[in-house]
Amino acid sequence: MTLPSRRSLAISVFIVSAAIATPSAQPLPKARVADLIKKVENGVDEFRGYLEKRGENAKARGSTPQGESRRARRGTPTETQKEVAKERKDELDDALGDLNRSTNRLRRQFDATDKWQETRVQVEQMLDDGRKINQIVARGSYGTEAARLWGVLRTGINDLARAYGLQPLAP
């Protein structure tokens, strides 16, 4: 045998052995999928809670003398800047509301069926809602804590997507 033939044979043996050793995807038990759904539900609640608390803290800081001195140094935001910030906040709030509703819908449908794979459509809707948030968070600067919380939530969504054999969200 020539060198290229041996290399081809070795590659072929490796590919065949890898295919044999790789188990086929087994469906997860319903209880495991329920845990994944709960993880996503909790992640949505944590992310939303953080953003609400962040907004309340920003309002409180803005009314203190220290907040006023910071604004004076940086300059007062223009009406356009205020409007853009409000639109971005509203867009994120709306997207989080959509994700919360699609996750709740998934939970109701999931609990009502014996075959959890039948809720694939609800998971696809949840993924679509998650993609909107992913784009919003990628475009904005919401801080490290928001990025961390979104990362945890996105991981939960992606784990659920993989359980259903769906394309996960992009990082």
Side-chain angles (χ1 to χ4, degrees), residues 63-93:
S63 64
T64 65
Q66 183 181 18
E68 290 172 9
S69 66
R70 272 194 226 130
R71 266 199 312 275
R73 279 184 286 181
R74 287 186 286 183
T76 307
T78 66
E79 289 303 314
T80 304
Q81 289 171 329
K82 289 178 185 178
E83 188 61 33
V84 167
K86 183 181 181 321
E87 287 174 10
R88 289 175 62 198
K89 179 186 176 294
D90 291 346
E91 182 182 22
L92 184 56
D93 284 343

Coordinates of all heavy atoms in Angstrom, one line a residue, residues 63-93:
S63 N -32.6 61.5 41.5 CA -33.2 62.5 42.3 C -32.3 62.9 43.5 O -32.7 63.8 44.2 CB -34.6 62.0 42.8 OG -34.3 60.9 43.7
T64 N -31.1 62.4 43.6 CA -30.2 62.7 44.7 C -29.3 63.9 44.2 O -29.0 64.0 43.0 CB -29.4 61.5 45.1 OG1 -28.5 61.2 44.0 CG2 -30.3 60.4 45.5
P65 N -28.7 64.6 45.2 CA -27.8 65.6 44.8 C -26.6 65.0 44.1 O -26.1 65.6 43.1 CB -27.4 66.2 46.1 CG -28.5 65.9 47.1 CD -29.1 64.6 46.6
Q66 N -26.1 63.8 44.5 CA -25.0 63.2 43.8 C -25.4 62.9 42.3 O -24.6 63.2 41.4 CB -24.7 61.9 44.5 CG -23.4 61.2 43.9 CD -23.1 59.9 44.6 OE1 -24.0 59.4 45.3 NE2 -21.9 59.5 44.5
G67 N -26.6 62.4 42.1 CA -27.0 62.2 40.7 C -27.1 63.5 39.9 O -26.7 63.5 38.7
E68 N -27.5 64.5 40.6 CA -27.6 65.8 39.9 C -26.2 66.3 39.5 O -26.0 66.9 38.4 CB -28.3 66.8 40.8 CG -29.8 66.5 40.9 CD -30.5 67.4 41.9 OE1 -29.9 68.3 42.4 OE2 -31.7 67.1 42.2
S69 N -25.2 66.1 40.4 CA -23.8 66.6 40.1 C -23.2 65.8 39.0 O -22.5 66.4 38.2 CB -23.0 66.6 41.4 OG -22.7 65.2 41.8
R70 N -23.5 64.5 38.9 CA -23.0 63.7 37.8 C -23.6 64.2 36.5 O -22.9 64.3 35.5 CB -23.4 62.2 38.0 CG -22.4 61.5 38.8 CD -22.6 60.0 38.6 NE -22.5 59.4 40.0 CZ -23.4 58.6 40.5 NH1 -24.5 58.2 39.9 NH2 -23.3 58.2 41.7
R71 N -24.9 64.5 36.5 CA -25.5 65.0 35.3 C -24.9 66.3 34.8 O -24.7 66.5 33.7 CB -27.0 65.1 35.5 CG -27.8 63.9 35.0 CD -29.3 64.2 34.8 NE -29.9 65.0 35.9 CZ -30.4 64.4 37.0 NH1 -30.4 63.1 37.1 NH2 -30.9 65.2 37.9
A72 N -24.7 67.1 35.8 CA -24.1 68.4 35.5 C -22.7 68.3 34.8 O -22.4 69.0 33.9 CB -24.0 69.3 36.8
R73 N -21.9 67.4 35.3 CA -20.6 67.2 34.7 C -20.7 66.6 33.3 O -20.0 67.0 32.4 CB -19.8 66.2 35.6 CG -19.1 66.9 36.7 CD -18.3 65.9 37.4 NE -19.2 65.0 38.2 CZ -18.9 64.0 38.9 NH1 -17.6 63.7 39.1 NH2 -19.8 63.3 39.5
R74 N -21.6 65.7 33.1 CA -21.8 65.0 31.8 C -22.6 65.9 30.8 O -22.6 65.6 29.7 CB -22.4 63.6 31.9 CG -21.4 62.6 32.5 CD -22.1 61.3 32.5 NE -23.1 61.3 33.5 CZ -23.8 60.2 33.8 NH1 -23.7 59.1 33.1 NH2 -24.7 60.3 34.8
G75 N -23.4 66.7 31.4 CA -24.4 67.4 30.6 C -25.7 66.8 30.7 O -25.8 65.6 30.8
T76 N -26.7 67.6 30.5 CA -28.1 67.0 30.6 C -28.4 66.3 29.3 O -28.1 66.8 28.2 CB -29.1 68.2 30.8 OG1 -28.7 68.9 32.0 CG2 -30.5 67.7 31.0
P77 N -29.0 65.1 29.4 CA -29.4 64.4 28.1 C -30.4 65.3 27.3 O -31.3 65.9 27.8 CB -30.1 63.1 28.6 CG -29.8 63.0 30.1 CD -29.4 64.4 30.5
T78 N -30.2 65.2 26.0 CA -31.1 65.9 25.1 C -32.4 65.1 25.1 O -32.5 64.0 25.5 CB -30.5 66.0 23.7 OG1 -30.4 64.7 23.2 CG2 -29.1 66.7 23.7
E79 N -33.4 65.8 24.6 CA -34.7 65.2 24.4 C -34.6 64.0 23.5 O -35.3 62.9 23.7 CB -35.8 66.2 23.9 CG -36.2 67.2 24.9 CD -36.7 66.6 26.2 OE1 -37.5 65.6 26.1 OE2 -36.3 67.0 27.3
T80 N -33.8 64.1 22.4 CA -33.6 63.0 21.5 C -33.0 61.8 22.2 O -33.4 60.6 22.0 CB -32.7 63.4 20.3 OG1 -33.3 64.5 19.7 CG2 -32.6 62.3 19.3
Q81 N -32.0 62.0 23.0 CA -31.3 60.9 23.8 C -32.3 60.3 24.7 O -32.3 59.0 24.9 CB -30.1 61.5 24.6 CG -29.0 61.8 23.7 CD -27.9 62.5 24.4 OE1 -28.2 63.3 25.4 NE2 -26.6 62.4 24.0
K82 N -33.1 61.1 25.4 CA -34.1 60.5 26.3 C -35.2 59.7 25.6 O -35.5 58.6 26.0 CB -34.9 61.7 27.0 CG -34.1 62.4 28.1 CD -34.9 63.5 28.7 CE -34.1 64.3 29.6 NZ -34.8 65.5 30.2
E83 N -35.6 60.1 24.4 CA -36.5 59.4 23.6 C -36.0 58.1 23.1 O -36.6 57.0 23.1 CB -37.0 60.3 22.4 CG -38.2 59.7 21.6 CD -39.4 59.4 22.4 OE1 -39.7 60.2 23.4 OE2 -40.1 58.4 22.2
V84 N -34.7 58.1 22.6 CA -34.1 56.9 22.2 C -33.9 55.9 23.3 O -34.2 54.7 23.2 CB -32.7 57.2 21.6 CG1 -31.9 55.9 21.3 CG2 -32.9 57.9 20.2
A85 N -33.5 56.3 24.5 CA -33.4 55.5 25.7 C -34.8 54.9 26.0 O -34.9 53.7 26.4 CB -32.8 56.2 26.8
K86 N -35.8 55.7 26.0 CA -37.2 55.2 26.3 C -37.6 54.1 25.3 O -38.2 53.1 25.7 CB -38.1 56.3 26.4 CG -39.5 55.9 26.8 CD -40.5 57.1 26.8 CE -41.9 56.8 27.2 NZ -42.4 55.5 26.7
E87 N -37.4 54.4 24.0 CA -37.7 53.4 23.0 C -37.0 52.1 23.1 O -37.6 51.0 23.0 CB -37.5 54.0 21.6 CG -38.4 55.1 21.2 CD -38.0 55.8 19.9 OE1 -37.1 55.2 19.2 OE2 -38.6 56.8 19.5
R88 N -35.7 52.2 23.5 CA -34.9 50.9 23.7 C -35.5 50.2 24.9 O -35.6 48.9 24.8 CB -33.5 51.3 23.8 CG -32.8 51.7 22.5 CD -31.4 52.2 22.7 NE -30.6 51.1 23.2 CZ -29.4 51.3 23.7 NH1 -28.9 52.5 23.9 NH2 -28.7 50.2 24.2
K89 N -35.8 50.9 25.9 CA -36.3 50.2 27.1 C -37.6 49.6 26.8 O -37.9 48.4 27.2 CB -36.4 51.2 28.3 CG -37.0 50.7 29.6 CD -37.3 51.8 30.6 CE -37.9 51.2 31.8 NZ -39.2 50.7 31.6
D90 N -38.5 50.3 26.1 CA -39.8 49.8 25.8 C -39.7 48.6 24.9 O -40.4 47.6 25.0 CB -40.7 50.9 25.1 CG -41.1 52.0 26.1 OD1 -41.0 51.8 27.3 OD2 -41.6 53.0 25.6
E91 N -38.8 48.6 23.9 CA -38.6 47.5 23.0 C -38.1 46.3 23.8 O -38.7 45.2 23.6 CB -37.5 47.9 22.0 CG -37.2 46.8 20.9 CD -36.1 47.2 20.0 OE1 -35.3 48.0 20.3 OE2 -36.1 46.6 18.9
L92 N -37.2 46.4 24.7 CA -36.8 45.3 25.6 C -37.9 44.8 26.4 O -38.1 43.6 26.6 CB -35.6 45.7 26.4 CG -34.9 44.5 27.2 CD1 -34.5 43.4 26.3 CD2 -33.7 45.1 28.0
D93 N -38.7 45.7 27.0 CA -39.8 45.3 27.9 C -40.8 44.5 27.1 O -41.3 43.5 27.5 CB -40.5 46.5 28.5 CG -39.7 47.1 29.7 OD1 -38.8 46.5 30.2 OD2 -40.0 48.3 30.0

